[in-house]
Amino acid sequence: LFLFASLLCERRIIFTSDSAEKLSACVHAASGLIYPFAWQHLFIPIIPKSLLSYCCAPMPFVIGLPSVYIDEVKEMPLEQVSIVNLDANYADAHLEDVSALPADLIETLRTRVDRVNENYARTCSSSS
């Protein structure tokens, strides 16, 4: 819900992971969360070292950052940037965008996310 709300509010989001495949897939999936809308801002699935300064950009962005660069980026002047660590399943969010969404929408989204999680858990347990 945090990610969905942050995308709708056009925030700055950095995804990080050791795996380039996971990083690229999750960054692309995040942009699909807001369908039928489209992300119209800076979108870099995997940022090269030469462009790390873009992580300080004052405009909205979605950037995939290989974990080897995270310490270097954290030393930069980041303002209101949310960092989503895909390997630790953790989000360092500084904004409360979820509360800006209508309460009935939040409840509907939570219900659907719970259903997806239950179906995924059933699928994983039955394939074991």
Side-chain angles (χ1 to χ4, degrees):
L1 292 177
F2 138 76
L3 185 57
F4 177 74
S6 293
L7 289 164
L8 288 179
C9 291
E10 299 179 329
R11 300 295 184 187
R12 288 173 257 182
I13 306 167
I14 296 175
F15 289 84
T16 185
S17 176
D18 291 331
S19 166
E21 294 84 11
K22 182 190 293 186
L23 193 55
S24 180
C26 289
V27 169
H28 280 94
S31 71
L33 276 177
I34 58 173
Y35 179 83
F37 304 111
W39 186 256
Q40 297 293 316
H41 306 287
L42 187 61
F43 180 85
I44 306 174
I46 300 179
I47 194 166
K49 183 172 176 60
S50 61
L51 299 179
L52 288 183
S53 63
Y54 281 37
C55 294
C56 298
M59 68 275 221
F61 59 70
V62 174
I63 293 176
L65 177 72
S67 294
V68 296
Y69 304 137
I70 192 65
D71 290 334
E72 188 174 337
V73 168
K74 283 186 175 180
E75 291 177 7
M76 296 177 174
L78 302 175
E79 290 187 28
Q80 295 186 336
V81 173
S82 296
I83 298 176
V84 179
N85 185 324
L86 299 170
D87 298 329
N89 196 24
Y90 172 78
D92 179 17
H94 303 286
L95 305 167
E96 293 297 324
D97 293 330
V98 174
S99 61
L101 297 175
D104 57 334
L105 176 62
I106 293 171
E107 187 57 38
T108 300
L109 289 172
R110 281 196 176 128
T111 301
R112 291 188 183 190
V113 167
D114 288 343
R115 265 193 236 143
V116 168
N117 285 336
E118 288 170 9
N119 289 339
Y120 179 74
R122 267 190 250 125
T123 302
C124 289
S125 65
S126 66
S127 64
S128 302

